[in-house]
Amino acid sequence: MASDFKTIPIIDISPLLKKSDDPNMSEDKGVLEVCNLLDRACKEAGFFYVKGHGIPDSLINAVKDVTHDFFDLPYEEKNKIKLSAVTGYRGYQRIGENITLEVPDMHEAIDCYREVTPGMYGALGKSLEGSNMWPSNPSNFKLLMEEYLSLLIDLSRRIMQGISIALSGSPNMFEGERAGDPFWVMRIIGYPALSDSTNAMKLDNDIGCGAHTDYGLLTLVNQDDDITALQVRNRSGEWISAVPIPGTFVCNIGDMLKILSNGLYESTLHRVINSSPKYRVSVAFFLEPNFDAAIEPLECCIQHTGGIAKLERAVYGEHLVGKVLTNFIM
């Protein structure tokens, strides 16, 4: 379980990235220092910032700018890519249509998933079959987001190499049947200011997104630099703010990594409250296991936690679909 942390650690992952293609990377001193920091952060907080990630600031900022541009559009324009069961639960959802713990969240969003072609995952993946619904306005939205996605998929897999080493495995322990063909999710989210009375739906509460854990392996969050809204709960129940640090991503681990680590790493509760007078955007990328992967505690982690498997096996796709089908007011 997450400890009584008061601040979220910042980790420079550049030594890890420099050696990520080296088959002997786990013997490098700089890599091992990063892995030790990742291990401590995953045990104590389940959250950390990463810097030295190699993603250009210009692209990070352009992604946020184009997200603001989209959410500034009239509702009728945004709703042209409306999320529905027919779209494979991809597309735009208006304020209050996303549900956490049966309470509407005060945000709007575009939901994106890895493309699922008909029959790709059999009956398990049928509800998510489809391609992403990219808006035509702004005109550069699709191109920019797909470039960003490609870099985030690569970056997150390299961070997972470090986490793999931290758990006493090889750098590629999460490849193959576990996450060698990973699913991914991206949520492009807008949080209205509490004082905003121009929204299509009146703000009924102040919770931008209710307390939850993430579903998969690793999350990377690109948030506005000047608004503090993301909060992480420590073991004492205190909410610790993930204050924006320009040039970094906020990272956290998800439910599937908690299972794989046999509870050594915690998928920590977090929420969003935008108490700023300004509209806030956040682009969250989620690296997931293979869609049909059976996730269970790793043997090396069982040995680290008393020799007993403490967490039950889960099929990732079942876990995801079960959440997706209960997350929306349709």
mmCIF file of all heavy atoms in Angstrom, residues 210-256:
data_model
loop_
_atom_site.group_PDB
_atom_site.id
_atom_site.type_symbol
_atom_site.label_atom_id
_atom_site.label_comp_id
_atom_site.label_asym_id
_atom_site.label_seq_id
_atom_site.Cartn_x
_atom_site.Cartn_y
_atom_site.Cartn_z
ATOM 1 N N GLY A 210 -13.673 11.606 -10.244
ATOM 2 C CA GLY A 210 -13.712 11.016 -8.912
ATOM 3 C C GLY A 210 -12.547 10.081 -8.632
ATOM 4 O O GLY A 210 -11.811 9.666 -9.541
ATOM 5 N N ALA A 211 -12.359 9.740 -7.376
ATOM 6 C CA ALA A 211 -11.236 8.910 -6.952
ATOM 7 C C ALA A 211 -11.285 7.544 -7.628
ATOM 8 O O ALA A 211 -12.304 6.862 -7.601
ATOM 9 C CB ALA A 211 -11.254 8.755 -5.437
ATOM 10 N N HIS A 212 -10.158 7.135 -8.205
ATOM 11 C CA HIS A 212 -10.097 5.887 -8.948
ATOM 12 C C HIS A 212 -8.650 5.434 -9.065
ATOM 13 O O HIS A 212 -7.715 6.193 -8.801
ATOM 14 C CB HIS A 212 -10.683 6.069 -10.356
ATOM 15 C CG HIS A 212 -9.883 7.004 -11.209
ATOM 16 N ND1 HIS A 212 -9.920 8.383 -11.044
ATOM 17 C CD2 HIS A 212 -8.999 6.780 -12.225
ATOM 18 C CE1 HIS A 212 -9.106 8.949 -11.911
ATOM 19 N NE2 HIS A 212 -8.526 7.999 -12.633
ATOM 20 N N THR A 213 -8.475 4.194 -9.462
ATOM 21 C CA THR A 213 -7.169 3.709 -9.888
ATOM 22 C C THR A 213 -7.233 3.445 -11.384
ATOM 23 O O THR A 213 -8.318 3.261 -11.951
ATOM 24 C CB THR A 213 -6.769 2.417 -9.151
ATOM 25 O OG1 THR A 213 -7.766 1.408 -9.388
ATOM 26 C CG2 THR A 213 -6.649 2.652 -7.653
ATOM 27 N N ASP A 214 -6.079 3.426 -12.034
ATOM 28 C CA ASP A 214 -6.041 3.158 -13.465
ATOM 29 C C ASP A 214 -5.993 1.652 -13.715
ATOM 30 O O ASP A 214 -5.630 0.869 -12.845
ATOM 31 C CB ASP A 214 -4.846 3.861 -14.103
ATOM 32 C CG ASP A 214 -4.991 5.379 -14.067
ATOM 33 O OD1 ASP A 214 -6.130 5.858 -13.879
ATOM 34 O OD2 ASP A 214 -3.972 6.081 -14.205
ATOM 35 N N TYR A 215 -6.349 1.243 -14.934
ATOM 36 C CA TYR A 215 -6.623 -0.167 -15.206
ATOM 37 C C TYR A 215 -5.397 -0.991 -15.592
ATOM 38 O O TYR A 215 -5.352 -2.184 -15.332
ATOM 39 C CB TYR A 215 -7.633 -0.301 -16.353
ATOM 40 C CG TYR A 215 -8.883 0.526 -16.220
ATOM 41 C CD1 TYR A 215 -9.578 0.916 -17.356
ATOM 42 C CD2 TYR A 215 -9.381 0.906 -14.974
ATOM 43 C CE1 TYR A 215 -10.739 1.682 -17.263
ATOM 44 C CE2 TYR A 215 -10.527 1.670 -14.867
ATOM 45 C CZ TYR A 215 -11.207 2.060 -16.019
ATOM 46 O OH TYR A 215 -12.344 2.810 -15.927
ATOM 47 N N GLY A 216 -4.428 -0.360 -16.253
ATOM 48 C CA GLY A 216 -3.411 -1.132 -16.946
ATOM 49 C C GLY A 216 -2.066 -1.209 -16.263
ATOM 50 O O GLY A 216 -1.961 -1.547 -15.082
ATOM 51 N N LEU A 217 -1.001 -0.883 -17.023
ATOM 52 C CA LEU A 217 0.361 -0.982 -16.517
ATOM 53 C C LEU A 217 0.899 0.367 -16.061
ATOM 54 O O LEU A 217 1.305 0.524 -14.919
ATOM 55 C CB LEU A 217 1.285 -1.538 -17.608
ATOM 56 C CG LEU A 217 1.032 -2.973 -18.067
ATOM 57 C CD1 LEU A 217 1.929 -3.315 -19.247
ATOM 58 C CD2 LEU A 217 1.261 -3.973 -16.926
ATOM 59 N N LEU A 218 0.900 1.346 -16.973
ATOM 60 C CA LEU A 218 1.573 2.609 -16.709
ATOM 61 C C LEU A 218 0.814 3.750 -17.374
ATOM 62 O O LEU A 218 0.393 3.631 -18.523
ATOM 63 C CB LEU A 218 3.001 2.547 -17.264
ATOM 64 C CG LEU A 218 3.916 3.730 -16.961
ATOM 65 C CD1 LEU A 218 4.345 3.707 -15.500
ATOM 66 C CD2 LEU A 218 5.151 3.698 -17.873
ATOM 67 N N THR A 219 0.669 4.854 -16.655
ATOM 68 C CA THR A 219 -0.008 6.049 -17.160
ATOM 69 C C THR A 219 0.984 7.199 -17.242
ATOM 70 O O THR A 219 1.797 7.385 -16.334
ATOM 71 C CB THR A 219 -1.157 6.448 -16.220
ATOM 72 O OG1 THR A 219 -2.051 5.350 -16.055
ATOM 73 C CG2 THR A 219 -1.914 7.652 -16.751
ATOM 74 N N LEU A 220 0.914 7.963 -18.331
ATOM 75 C CA LEU A 220 1.703 9.189 -18.479
ATOM 76 C C LEU A 220 0.733 10.339 -18.723
ATOM 77 O O LEU A 220 -0.052 10.298 -19.677
ATOM 78 C CB LEU A 220 2.682 9.087 -19.649
ATOM 79 C CG LEU A 220 3.875 8.147 -19.471
ATOM 80 C CD1 LEU A 220 3.506 6.727 -19.875
ATOM 81 C CD2 LEU A 220 5.049 8.620 -20.321
ATOM 82 N N VAL A 221 0.791 11.342 -17.862
ATOM 83 C CA VAL A 221 -0.147 12.465 -17.909
ATOM 84 C C VAL A 221 0.572 13.746 -18.323
ATOM 85 O O VAL A 221 1.581 14.134 -17.722
ATOM 86 C CB VAL A 221 -0.829 12.670 -16.539
ATOM 87 C CG1 VAL A 221 -1.744 13.888 -16.568
ATOM 88 C CG2 VAL A 221 -1.609 11.426 -16.141
ATOM 89 N N ASN A 222 0.036 14.396 -19.341
ATOM 90 C CA ASN A 222 0.500 15.695 -19.829
ATOM 91 C C ASN A 222 -0.560 16.714 -19.405
ATOM 92 O O ASN A 222 -1.648 16.751 -19.967
ATOM 93 C CB ASN A 222 0.653 15.619 -21.355
ATOM 94 C CG ASN A 222 1.040 16.933 -21.997
ATOM 95 O OD1 ASN A 222 1.333 17.908 -21.325
ATOM 96 N ND2 ASN A 222 1.039 16.944 -23.322
ATOM 97 N N GLN A 223 -0.256 17.529 -18.394
ATOM 98 C CA GLN A 223 -1.253 18.440 -17.835
ATOM 99 C C GLN A 223 -0.824 19.892 -18.010
ATOM 100 O O GLN A 223 0.362 20.198 -18.129
ATOM 101 C CB GLN A 223 -1.478 18.132 -16.354
ATOM 102 C CG GLN A 223 -0.232 18.219 -15.480
ATOM 103 C CD GLN A 223 -0.512 17.954 -14.011
ATOM 104 O OE1 GLN A 223 -1.629 18.112 -13.529
ATOM 105 N NE2 GLN A 223 0.512 17.549 -13.270
ATOM 106 N N ASP A 224 -1.817 20.790 -18.008
ATOM 107 C CA ASP A 224 -1.520 22.223 -18.085
ATOM 108 C C ASP A 224 -0.520 22.619 -17.004
ATOM 109 O O ASP A 224 -0.608 22.159 -15.853
ATOM 110 C CB ASP A 224 -2.809 23.038 -17.919
ATOM 111 C CG ASP A 224 -3.521 23.281 -19.242
ATOM 112 O OD1 ASP A 224 -2.861 23.215 -20.295
ATOM 113 O OD2 ASP A 224 -4.740 23.539 -19.225
ATOM 114 N N ASP A 225 0.424 23.486 -17.379
ATOM 115 C CA ASP A 225 1.514 23.833 -16.469
ATOM 116 C C ASP A 225 1.110 24.752 -15.324
ATOM 117 O O ASP A 225 1.819 24.830 -14.315
ATOM 118 C CB ASP A 225 2.648 24.520 -17.250
ATOM 119 C CG ASP A 225 3.393 23.563 -18.168
ATOM 120 O OD1 ASP A 225 3.360 22.350 -17.911
ATOM 121 O OD2 ASP A 225 4.005 24.043 -19.143
ATOM 122 N N ASP A 226 0.007 25.471 -15.465
ATOM 123 C CA ASP A 226 -0.293 26.549 -14.519
ATOM 124 C C ASP A 226 -1.513 26.297 -13.644
ATOM 125 O O ASP A 226 -2.000 27.214 -12.972
ATOM 126 C CB ASP A 226 -0.469 27.870 -15.277
ATOM 127 C CG ASP A 226 -1.553 27.794 -16.347
ATOM 128 O OD1 ASP A 226 -2.001 26.671 -16.662
ATOM 129 O OD2 ASP A 226 -1.942 28.857 -16.867
ATOM 130 N N ILE A 227 -2.019 25.046 -13.646
ATOM 131 C CA ILE A 227 -3.202 24.741 -12.838
ATOM 132 C C ILE A 227 -2.942 23.452 -12.051
ATOM 133 O O ILE A 227 -2.657 22.406 -12.632
ATOM 134 C CB ILE A 227 -4.459 24.550 -13.714
ATOM 135 C CG1 ILE A 227 -4.741 25.821 -14.517
ATOM 136 C CG2 ILE A 227 -5.664 24.178 -12.857
ATOM 137 C CD1 ILE A 227 -5.843 25.654 -15.546
ATOM 138 N N THR A 228 -3.047 23.523 -10.736
ATOM 139 C CA THR A 228 -2.893 22.338 -9.898
ATOM 140 C C THR A 228 -4.267 21.744 -9.620
ATOM 141 O O THR A 228 -5.110 22.397 -8.990
ATOM 142 C CB THR A 228 -2.191 22.691 -8.570
ATOM 143 O OG1 THR A 228 -0.890 23.201 -8.855
ATOM 144 C CG2 THR A 228 -2.060 21.466 -7.681
ATOM 145 N N ALA A 229 -4.502 20.518 -10.100
ATOM 146 C CA ALA A 229 -5.823 19.899 -9.946
ATOM 147 C C ALA A 229 -5.749 18.408 -9.624
ATOM 148 O O ALA A 229 -6.632 17.873 -8.959
ATOM 149 C CB ALA A 229 -6.643 20.108 -11.220
ATOM 150 N N LEU A 230 -4.700 17.718 -10.098
ATOM 151 C CA LEU A 230 -4.550 16.285 -9.851
ATOM 152 C C LEU A 230 -4.092 16.050 -8.418
ATOM 153 O O LEU A 230 -3.152 16.698 -7.942
ATOM 154 C CB LEU A 230 -3.525 15.703 -10.835
ATOM 155 C CG LEU A 230 -3.164 14.227 -10.670
ATOM 156 C CD1 LEU A 230 -4.380 13.324 -10.848
ATOM 157 C CD2 LEU A 230 -2.060 13.846 -11.670
ATOM 158 N N GLN A 231 -4.788 15.129 -7.730
ATOM 159 C CA GLN A 231 -4.470 14.826 -6.335
ATOM 160 C C GLN A 231 -4.311 13.315 -6.149
ATOM 161 O O GLN A 231 -5.054 12.527 -6.736
ATOM 162 C CB GLN A 231 -5.581 15.327 -5.407
ATOM 163 C CG GLN A 231 -5.825 16.820 -5.482
ATOM 164 C CD GLN A 231 -7.007 17.254 -4.633
ATOM 165 O OE1 GLN A 231 -7.747 16.430 -4.088
ATOM 166 N NE2 GLN A 231 -7.208 18.566 -4.518
ATOM 167 N N VAL A 232 -3.353 12.929 -5.309
ATOM 168 C CA VAL A 232 -3.020 11.528 -5.055
ATOM 169 C C VAL A 232 -3.187 11.254 -3.566
ATOM 170 O O VAL A 232 -2.744 12.049 -2.732
ATOM 171 C CB VAL A 232 -1.564 11.238 -5.484
ATOM 172 C CG1 VAL A 232 -1.240 9.760 -5.296
ATOM 173 C CG2 VAL A 232 -1.324 11.675 -6.929
ATOM 174 N N ARG A 233 -3.815 10.138 -3.217
ATOM 175 C CA ARG A 233 -4.082 9.849 -1.794
ATOM 176 C C ARG A 233 -2.999 8.961 -1.195
ATOM 177 O O ARG A 233 -2.674 7.906 -1.737
ATOM 178 C CB ARG A 233 -5.446 9.165 -1.636
ATOM 179 C CG ARG A 233 -5.960 9.247 -0.194
ATOM 180 C CD ARG A 233 -7.319 8.647 -0.038
ATOM 181 N NE ARG A 233 -7.253 7.187 0.038
ATOM 182 C CZ ARG A 233 -8.280 6.410 0.373
ATOM 183 N NH1 ARG A 233 -9.450 6.953 0.634
ATOM 184 N NH2 ARG A 233 -8.158 5.110 0.426
ATOM 185 N N ASN A 234 -2.465 9.395 -0.058
ATOM 186 C CA ASN A 234 -1.488 8.556 0.633
ATOM 187 C C ASN A 234 -2.188 7.647 1.644
ATOM 188 O O ASN A 234 -3.421 7.650 1.775
ATOM 189 C CB ASN A 234 -0.374 9.397 1.282
ATOM 190 C CG ASN A 234 -0.867 10.258 2.441
ATOM 191 O OD1 ASN A 234 -1.958 10.077 2.976
ATOM 192 N ND2 ASN A 234 -0.037 11.223 2.842
ATOM 193 N N ARG A 235 -1.417 6.850 2.353
ATOM 194 C CA ARG A 235 -1.985 5.833 3.232
ATOM 195 C C ARG A 235 -2.832 6.423 4.363
ATOM 196 O O ARG A 235 -3.788 5.807 4.833
ATOM 197 C CB ARG A 235 -0.855 4.972 3.824
ATOM 198 C CG ARG A 235 -1.342 3.791 4.664
ATOM 199 C CD ARG A 235 -0.200 2.849 4.969
ATOM 200 N NE ARG A 235 0.894 3.521 5.666
ATOM 201 C CZ ARG A 235 2.094 2.982 5.853
ATOM 202 N NH1 ARG A 235 2.358 1.789 5.367
ATOM 203 N NH2 ARG A 235 3.023 3.652 6.503
ATOM 204 N N SER A 236 -2.493 7.630 4.788
ATOM 205 C CA SER A 236 -3.252 8.284 5.860
ATOM 206 C C SER A 236 -4.539 8.926 5.365
ATOM 207 O O SER A 236 -5.289 9.498 6.153
ATOM 208 C CB SER A 236 -2.384 9.355 6.536
ATOM 209 O OG SER A 236 -1.292 8.773 7.206
ATOM 210 N N GLY A 237 -4.777 8.840 4.056
ATOM 211 C CA GLY A 237 -5.984 9.424 3.501
ATOM 212 C C GLY A 237 -5.845 10.876 3.110
ATOM 213 O O GLY A 237 -6.827 11.525 2.741
ATOM 214 N N GLU A 238 -4.613 11.411 3.192
ATOM 215 C CA GLU A 238 -4.369 12.794 2.774
ATOM 216 C C GLU A 238 -4.288 12.855 1.255
ATOM 217 O O GLU A 238 -3.727 11.963 0.619
ATOM 218 C CB GLU A 238 -3.059 13.304 3.365
ATOM 219 C CG GLU A 238 -3.005 13.360 4.867
ATOM 220 C CD GLU A 238 -1.615 13.728 5.350
ATOM 221 O OE1 GLU A 238 -0.687 12.908 5.201
ATOM 222 O OE2 GLU A 238 -1.462 14.855 5.867
ATOM 223 N N TRP A 239 -4.812 13.941 0.693
ATOM 224 C CA TRP A 239 -4.726 14.158 -0.746
ATOM 225 C C TRP A 239 -3.533 15.057 -1.029
ATOM 226 O O TRP A 239 -3.491 16.206 -0.598
ATOM 227 C CB TRP A 239 -6.016 14.755 -1.277
ATOM 228 C CG TRP A 239 -7.151 13.771 -1.260
ATOM 229 C CD1 TRP A 239 -8.165 13.685 -0.347
ATOM 230 C CD2 TRP A 239 -7.365 12.718 -2.204
ATOM 231 N NE1 TRP A 239 -9.005 12.645 -0.670
ATOM 232 C CE2 TRP A 239 -8.545 12.028 -1.806
ATOM 233 C CE3 TRP A 239 -6.691 12.289 -3.354
ATOM 234 C CZ2 TRP A 239 -9.044 10.942 -2.518
ATOM 235 C CZ3 TRP A 239 -7.180 11.199 -4.057
ATOM 236 C CH2 TRP A 239 -8.345 10.535 -3.643
ATOM 237 N N ILE A 240 -2.549 14.520 -1.749
ATOM 238 C CA ILE A 240 -1.309 15.219 -2.073
ATOM 239 C C ILE A 240 -1.405 15.732 -3.510
ATOM 240 O O ILE A 240 -1.685 14.966 -4.433
ATOM 241 C CB ILE A 240 -0.090 14.283 -1.934
ATOM 242 C CG1 ILE A 240 -0.093 13.603 -0.548
ATOM 243 C CG2 ILE A 240 1.197 15.030 -2.203
ATOM 244 C CD1 ILE A 240 -0.035 14.552 0.621
ATOM 245 N N SER A 241 -1.189 17.017 -3.722
ATOM 246 C CA SER A 241 -1.304 17.598 -5.051
ATOM 247 C C SER A 241 -0.117 17.217 -5.930
ATOM 248 O O SER A 241 1.043 17.298 -5.498
ATOM 249 C CB SER A 241 -1.387 19.122 -4.958
ATOM 250 O OG SER A 241 -2.623 19.520 -4.395
ATOM 251 N N ALA A 242 -0.429 16.813 -7.159
ATOM 252 C CA ALA A 242 0.602 16.580 -8.183
ATOM 253 C C ALA A 242 0.781 17.902 -8.935
ATOM 254 O O ALA A 242 0.226 18.103 -10.019
ATOM 255 C CB ALA A 242 0.192 15.458 -9.107
ATOM 256 N N VAL A 243 1.539 18.788 -8.322
ATOM 257 C CA VAL A 243 1.733 20.127 -8.872
ATOM 258 C C VAL A 243 2.416 20.025 -10.237
ATOM 259 O O VAL A 243 3.400 19.294 -10.388
ATOM 260 C CB VAL A 243 2.599 20.974 -7.916
ATOM 261 C CG1 VAL A 243 2.885 22.349 -8.489
ATOM 262 C CG2 VAL A 243 1.913 21.083 -6.556
ATOM 263 N N PRO A 244 1.909 20.708 -11.262
ATOM 264 C CA PRO A 244 2.539 20.620 -12.585
ATOM 265 C C PRO A 244 3.991 21.081 -12.555
ATOM 266 O O PRO A 244 4.315 22.115 -11.964
ATOM 267 C CB PRO A 244 1.683 21.553 -13.444
ATOM 268 C CG PRO A 244 0.372 21.653 -12.743
ATOM 269 C CD PRO A 244 0.694 21.555 -11.287
ATOM 270 N N ILE A 245 4.853 20.307 -13.187
ATOM 271 C CA ILE A 245 6.260 20.661 -13.350
ATOM 272 C C ILE A 245 6.542 20.670 -14.845
ATOM 273 O O ILE A 245 6.535 19.614 -15.486
ATOM 274 C CB ILE A 245 7.185 19.660 -12.624
ATOM 275 C CG1 ILE A 245 6.856 19.617 -11.128
ATOM 276 C CG2 ILE A 245 8.652 20.026 -12.856
ATOM 277 C CD1 ILE A 245 7.648 18.580 -10.352
ATOM 278 N N PRO A 246 6.727 21.851 -15.433
ATOM 279 C CA PRO A 246 6.930 21.933 -16.884
ATOM 280 C C PRO A 246 8.046 20.998 -17.359
ATOM 281 O O PRO A 246 9.082 20.848 -16.698
ATOM 282 C CB PRO A 246 7.311 23.402 -17.103
ATOM 283 C CG PRO A 246 6.627 24.123 -15.975
ATOM 284 C CD PRO A 246 6.725 23.191 -14.801
ATOM 285 N N GLY A 247 7.811 20.348 -18.490
ATOM 286 C CA GLY A 247 8.805 19.456 -19.075
ATOM 287 C C GLY A 247 8.775 18.040 -18.540
ATOM 288 O O GLY A 247 9.597 17.212 -18.933
ATOM 289 N N THR A 248 7.842 17.755 -17.639
ATOM 290 C CA THR A 248 7.739 16.403 -17.080
ATOM 291 C C THR A 248 6.383 15.783 -17.433
ATOM 292 O O THR A 248 5.434 16.480 -17.781
ATOM 293 C CB THR A 248 7.863 16.402 -15.544
ATOM 294 O OG1 THR A 248 6.686 17.002 -14.968
ATOM 295 C CG2 THR A 248 9.102 17.143 -15.081
ATOM 296 N N PHE A 249 6.323 14.467 -17.310
ATOM 297 C CA PHE A 249 5.057 13.746 -17.278
ATOM 298 C C PHE A 249 4.822 13.258 -15.849
ATOM 299 O O PHE A 249 5.770 12.860 -15.157
ATOM 300 C CB PHE A 249 5.085 12.515 -18.194
ATOM 301 C CG PHE A 249 5.135 12.829 -19.655
ATOM 302 C CD1 PHE A 249 6.319 12.716 -20.360
ATOM 303 C CD2 PHE A 249 3.988 13.220 -20.336
ATOM 304 C CE1 PHE A 249 6.377 12.997 -21.713
ATOM 305 C CE2 PHE A 249 4.023 13.507 -21.690
ATOM 306 C CZ PHE A 249 5.229 13.392 -22.383
ATOM 307 N N VAL A 250 3.566 13.284 -15.411
ATOM 308 C CA VAL A 250 3.195 12.581 -14.191
ATOM 309 C C VAL A 250 2.926 11.131 -14.583
ATOM 310 O O VAL A 250 2.151 10.870 -15.502
ATOM 311 C CB VAL A 250 1.939 13.177 -13.531
ATOM 312 C CG1 VAL A 250 1.585 12.399 -12.277
ATOM 313 C CG2 VAL A 250 2.146 14.642 -13.197
ATOM 314 N N CYS A 251 3.591 10.211 -13.915
ATOM 315 C CA CYS A 251 3.411 8.781 -14.207
ATOM 316 C C CYS A 251 2.834 8.069 -12.995
ATOM 317 O O CYS A 251 3.131 8.425 -11.851
ATOM 318 C CB CYS A 251 4.741 8.125 -14.568
ATOM 319 S SG CYS A 251 5.481 8.740 -16.078
ATOM 320 N N ASN A 252 2.011 7.067 -13.260
ATOM 321 C CA ASN A 252 1.538 6.218 -12.171
ATOM 322 C C ASN A 252 1.281 4.815 -12.681
ATOM 323 O O ASN A 252 1.142 4.582 -13.880
ATOM 324 C CB ASN A 252 0.275 6.791 -11.513
ATOM 325 C CG ASN A 252 -0.905 6.904 -12.447
ATOM 326 O OD1 ASN A 252 -0.999 7.860 -13.221
ATOM 327 N ND2 ASN A 252 -1.816 5.943 -12.377
ATOM 328 N N ILE A 253 1.252 3.862 -11.766
ATOM 329 C CA ILE A 253 1.056 2.468 -12.144
ATOM 330 C C ILE A 253 -0.424 2.100 -12.014
ATOM 331 O O ILE A 253 -1.185 2.746 -11.274
ATOM 332 C CB ILE A 253 1.941 1.521 -11.314
ATOM 333 C CG1 ILE A 253 1.560 1.563 -9.843
ATOM 334 C CG2 ILE A 253 3.408 1.887 -11.485
ATOM 335 C CD1 ILE A 253 2.277 0.539 -9.009
ATOM 336 N N GLY A 254 -0.820 1.087 -12.760
ATOM 337 C CA GLY A 254 -2.209 0.667 -12.804
ATOM 338 C C GLY A 254 -2.464 -0.684 -12.174
ATOM 339 O O GLY A 254 -1.553 -1.353 -11.665
ATOM 340 N N ASP A 255 -3.725 -1.106 -12.237
ATOM 341 C CA ASP A 255 -4.172 -2.333 -11.574
ATOM 342 C C ASP A 255 -3.427 -3.581 -12.043
ATOM 343 O O ASP A 255 -3.157 -4.491 -11.259
ATOM 344 C CB ASP A 255 -5.676 -2.540 -11.817
ATOM 345 C CG ASP A 255 -6.534 -1.428 -11.247
ATOM 346 O OD1 ASP A 255 -6.080 -0.744 -10.304
ATOM 347 O OD2 ASP A 255 -7.662 -1.244 -11.739
ATOM 348 N N MET A 256 -3.114 -3.646 -13.343
ATOM 349 C CA MET A 256 -2.457 -4.848 -13.868
ATOM 350 C C MET A 256 -1.023 -4.970 -13.358
ATOM 351 O O MET A 256 -0.547 -6.077 -13.083
ATOM 352 C CB MET A 256 -2.481 -4.844 -15.394
ATOM 353 C CG MET A 256 -3.868 -4.921 -16.004
ATOM 354 S SD MET A 256 -4.806 -6.432 -15.593
ATOM 355 C CE MET A 256 -5.968 -5.777 -14.369
#
